[in-house]
Amino acid sequence: MEFGRVPEEELDKIDFNLPREPAENKDIVKGKPIKEAKVYVGCAKWGRPEWVGKIYPPKTREKDFLKHYVEHYNSIELNATHYKIYGEKGIRNWAEKAKGKDFKFCPKMFQGVTHRGSLKGKNFITNEFFRGIVAFEEHLGPVFVQVSDTFSPNRKEELFAWLDSLPKDLQFFLEVRHPGWFVKEKERDDMLSFLRDHNMGVVITDTAGRRDCAHMHLAIPKAFIRYVGNSLHPTDYTRIDSWVQRMKYWLDNGLKELYFFMHMHDEATSPELTVYLVDKMNAVCNLNLIKPKFLDQGLVTTGKRKGLFD
């Protein structure tokens, strides 16, 4: 992911502190922990050749990447569906790889709907997208809807009308990126109010160059977090520490579902930071999440900090 990327030499100058908990969240996460709360951790892709010999067996072919990925993660933010409409047969083949596991595919809405022109008049292609992804069946997680960086609050009525037309039996999370959604409090509140009224979630994106997107608002008692690391820079770990504490707070106060997706500008190092994340989450939040298993444990690096796994 290139969104929010800054030169490495500028990372130490950025304030990565997460915003205070919004007061409105107390109306969303309140009360006691939910025993049945679901927590999922994943990446955006399973097709990383750099993972062959690291967490995938040597000489693993691309067609077998997913078969191995599901042994290391329990979900995926499926970006592949953003670039192509997949039919039922292809989706069923993917779902088969997760058979018998509590694994969720979180497909990203096709860009032909969300990034090309108006949202109006897109019924056919939208329906074709859904025709494919429902084949995930019990492995279908939330649908991730992202609108483009240029999609401003001036188009909110268009956005809200389209969101209102989506299937009511599926879970959706919306990501907006235009600064106007965050600078103007009324626009942000209008969006959150609409999502809350329609049982839709809002995506929180934590990336170095766009701190406004790490807004920490919840519209429903479910969270969808896109974390963008910087190739095991020391700040990656302190940021993860802060996230674990925030996620513990949410889970302790009744969050029902949590999706945390690990992104890197260089995806080769995503497994290393995932190990750190999951170890922390399991210890602090009393979870039992699976994590990447390295073929050679000596390859599990701690980046530029020492003693992180003590």
Side-chain angles (χ1 to χ4, degrees), residues 71-287:
E71 301 299 326
H72 301 280
Y73 295 91
N74 67 354
S75 65
I76 185 161
E77 181 200 290
L78 189 56
N79 277 343
T81 55
H82 184 61
Y83 300 103
K84 176 183 175 181
I85 294 286
Y86 288 85
E88 294 180 50
K89 182 178 179 180
I91 296 293
R92 291 190 193 282
N93 287 338
W94 287 345
E96 184 68 21
K97 302 295 192 301
K99 187 175 181 179
K101 297 179 180 293
D102 181 15
F103 185 96
K104 298 297 183 183
F105 295 85
C106 301
K108 187 176 181 180
M109 177 65 72
F110 179 54
Q111 64 178 352
V113 177
T114 56
H115 285 63
R116 296 175 185 166
S118 172
L119 293 171
K120 299 176 182 178
K122 300 287 183 67
N123 290 346
F124 175 78
I125 193 65
T126 301
N127 289 337
E128 287 300 296
F129 172 83
F130 288 121
R131 189 192 302 274
I133 67 165
V134 294
F136 280 125
E137 297 183 345
E138 71 271 20
H139 296 294
L140 177 60
V143 178
F144 165 34
V145 176
Q146 178 195 84
V147 291
S148 74
D149 302 20
T150 60
F151 200 109
S152 78
N154 293 336
R155 298 173 64 186
K156 69 181 178 182
E157 298 306 324
E158 173 192 345
L159 175 61
F160 294 169
W162 178 74
L163 290 173
D164 189 44
S165 73
L166 298 179
K168 302 300 186 285
D169 58 341
L170 298 179
Q171 180 67 71
F172 294 91
F173 278 84
L174 172 70
E175 181 188 30
V176 293
R177 291 180 166 186
H178 190 282
W181 293 104
F182 308 105
V183 172
K184 301 176 181 178
E185 188 172 320
K186 182 183 184 305
E187 305 296 0
R188 183 201 65 204
D189 290 347
D190 283 352
M191 175 186 67
L192 291 171
S193 178
F194 174 89
L195 295 176
R196 183 167 54 249
D197 291 345
H198 289 75
N199 191 36
M200 295 180 176
V202 60
V203 173
I204 301 171
T205 302
D206 185 342
T207 186
R210 282 294 304 276
R211 303 309 299 156
D212 53 344
C213 293
H215 51 78
M216 310 311 292
H217 286 274
L218 300 173
I220 57 176
K222 301 177 182 181
F224 191 114
I225 301 155
R226 308 182 80 207
Y227 175 96
V228 187
N230 292 287
S231 302
L232 306 183
H233 186 272
T235 56
D236 286 350
Y237 299 98
T238 53
R239 291 167 62 197
I240 289 293
D241 292 344
S242 296
W243 265 113
V244 170
Q245 292 302 319
R246 186 63 62 98
M247 291 188 289
K248 173 177 169 53
Y249 173 81
W250 287 341
L251 290 167
D252 285 350
N253 286 276
L255 193 74
K256 295 179 180 179
E257 289 181 19
L258 170 63
Y259 297 85
F260 190 105
F261 293 107
M262 183 69 69
H263 291 257
M264 286 278 189
H265 299 305
D266 176 7
E267 298 287 358
T269 55
S270 291
E272 285 89 337
L273 194 57
T274 303
V275 169
Y276 181 74
L277 166 71
V278 173
D279 281 345
K280 285 280 186 176
M281 291 182 71
N282 284 345
V284 174
C285 303
N286 194 30
L287 300 173

